Amino acid sequence: MKINHFLTRRHALYLGLGSLAGLGSLTTNKLINSCYANQFIAHQHRSFYVQGNTPLKTRAAKKGIIYGADCGSLELQSQPELQAAVIQECAMLVPGFLKWNMLRPNPASFNFTRGDWYVNFAQKNKMLTRGHTLVWYDALPKWFKETVNKQNARQFLEEHIKKVAGHYAGKMHSWDVVNEAINVPDGLPNGWRKSPWLEFLGTDYIDLAFRITSEVDPQSLLFYNDFGLEYDKPEHEAKRTAVLKLLEKLKSQGTPIHGFGMQSHLDGHETRFNPQKLRNFFRDIASLGLKIMITELDVVDKKLPKDIDLRDRIVASVYEDYLSVALDEKAVIGVITWGLSDRYTWLAEFHRRDDQEPVRLLPLDTQMQRKLSWNAIARTFDNAPQR
Ligand code: G3I
């Protein structure tokens, strides 16, 4: 099937399915089955061939790209086979215990035990670490609401950043200093998200957070991180505009920001993928002099067919279609998958499949075996331009 450069294979596939829908005579079940049969046929001939067994971190490094993973905060410490897989595949680790609700049992104390284990594990195995995240509207401890207010918010913000970024100073390749500050549906000017930080400190809270972090850890690359920007959908377009406006504002006022984190939680069922619009967004960010990291890459397979071979092929296609576009932008310096093995992914809890089948979206299966998703990501590193 000839595909013009705006249509990916998946677009063409769904167009084919759309024509099926026009038949009308098929029952729903038959239509669904024949749709998936079509998907399988279309994907059956897509090659995910990879030369050799070289790990993802090595393939990425050859092009000047860092590959790493968030590894399910709880599990890494207790799972030797996950540790072995992480050491083999990853050049970077995202400790999952660096959020307020994980670090702050009460207003007066910090608990770095679990975060330190991660950072020490990474350093021992010659991996970089990336901090996630110093300022977020979510994952706040239970005591936050009744303790932090307009009068003391700045003191709490400063103390938190100085303590946490200070504790790990010199050990973090980069920090997600501020996470998810834009939410256009909230209806605030410039698409800002309603959050306690905005309520208590106004729109300067982001600049303040970056300046404090830069003081305590001048070696770390400081990122703004966000999601819901990947597709050719009105809400994603609106958010891309708002995020770019925020980044331009920060750069114009001299905020010490070095990069943008594109979370990239993709949807296997979404067909509104427009490579050129994605390229333009990455280009516009890079033109501000910012680096870019793909910071939380995964694919929701909730609405994909139960058939494992077909589902794996579709998920692998989503990874390859998206990452091949992203990595064409040389400002993209790193790719973090939000998990490494299907045994531990937030999607198993937060995006369960209706058929209760286990999710299958990460590079390794539950037995730490490489899947087509691994092949797809390996191929994008192999085909990426040299940084
Ligand atoms: O550590 C406790 C453990 O002691 C306790 O026994 C267990 C009981 O459920 O909970 C454990 O903490 C959980 C933590 O994940 C473990 O990693 C929290 O309850 C749970 O809320 C937390 O969910 C995380 C979520 O962020 C909220 O922080 C997900 O794993 C994590 O994947 C998700 O990641 C976010 C990014 O930070 C921002 N972008 C979106 C992304 C997906 O939501």
Side-chain angles (χ1 to χ4, degrees), residues 2-3 16 41 53 74 103 113 115 134 149 159 169 188 192 196 212 221 249 258 261 264 297 311 327 352 369 378:
K2 187 171 176 344
I3 304 170
I41 292 163
N53 288 316
L74 292 177
L103 287 169
T113 309
L134 293 170
N149 54 48
E159 183 195 29
L188 294 180
W192 284 59
I212 300 166
L221 294 174
K249 172 183 184 303
H258 308 108
S264 308
L297 180 65
R311 192 162 17 130
L327 294 179
R352 280 202 185 98
Q369 298 306 303

Side-chain angles (χ1 to χ4, degrees), residues 140-273:
L140 293 171
K142 290 187 174 56
W143 53 261
F144 187 92
K145 207 169 172 68
E146 72 254 11
T147 310
V148 181
N149 54 48
K150 206 172 179 67
Q151 286 65 44
N152 63 21
R154 176 168 178 137
Q155 176 215 330
F156 269 95
L157 182 75
E158 265 193 68
E159 183 195 29
H160 184 82
I161 295 176
K162 286 181 176 174
K163 198 82 173 173
V164 178
H167 182 80
Y168 293 112
K171 296 179 179 176
M172 289 298 174
H173 163 272
S174 48
W175 269 105
D176 286 333
V177 175
V178 174
N179 192 44
E180 303 174 9
I182 297 290
N183 188 44
V184 176
D186 281 354
L188 294 180
N190 298 318
W192 284 59
R193 177 189 293 275
K194 285 180 184 156
S195 90
W197 302 113
L198 182 66
E199 182 190 347
F200 297 148
L201 297 172
T203 54
D204 287 341
Y205 85 89
I206 296 181
D207 177 70
L208 177 64
F210 274 91
R211 290 184 188 280
I212 300 166
T213 311
S214 178
E215 282 164 23
V216 292
D217 188 2
Q219 294 179 60
S220 178
L221 294 174
L222 308 184
F223 279 65
Y224 170 72
N225 190 50
D226 218 327
F227 72 100
L229 303 150
E230 297 79 12
Y231 289 109
D232 187 10
K233 303 194 292 190
E235 60 274 34
H236 282 207
E237 186 62 37
K239 188 161 184 177
R240 286 193 288 267
T241 302
V243 164
L244 269 178
K245 192 164 185 171
L246 170 63
L247 295 174
E248 285 162 356
K249 172 183 184 303
L250 294 174
K251 286 297 285 183
S252 66
Q253 63 190 34
T255 302
I257 178 173
H258 308 108
F260 173 63
M262 182 88 158
Q263 290 186 16
S264 308
H265 292 293
L266 305 178
D267 179 352
H269 195 75
E270 179 56 66
T271 58
R272 290 168 289 180
F273 173 66

Side-chain angles (χ1 to χ4, degrees), residues 70 72-75 96-97 99 101-102 114 132-133 136 138-139 179-180 225-227 263 265 296 298 338 345-347 349-351:
D70 150 82
S73 332
L74 292 177
E75 296 76 18
F97 277 98
K99 296 172 182 172
N101 62 352
M102 300 285 176
R114 299 190 285 192
H132 174 83
T133 175
W136 191 19
D138 198 353
N179 192 44
E180 303 174 9
N225 190 50
D226 218 327
F227 72 100
Q263 290 186 16
H265 292 293
E296 303 183 16
D298 54 20
W338 209 238
T345 163
W346 69 290
L347 294 175
E349 181 185 345
F350 293 86
H351 285 270

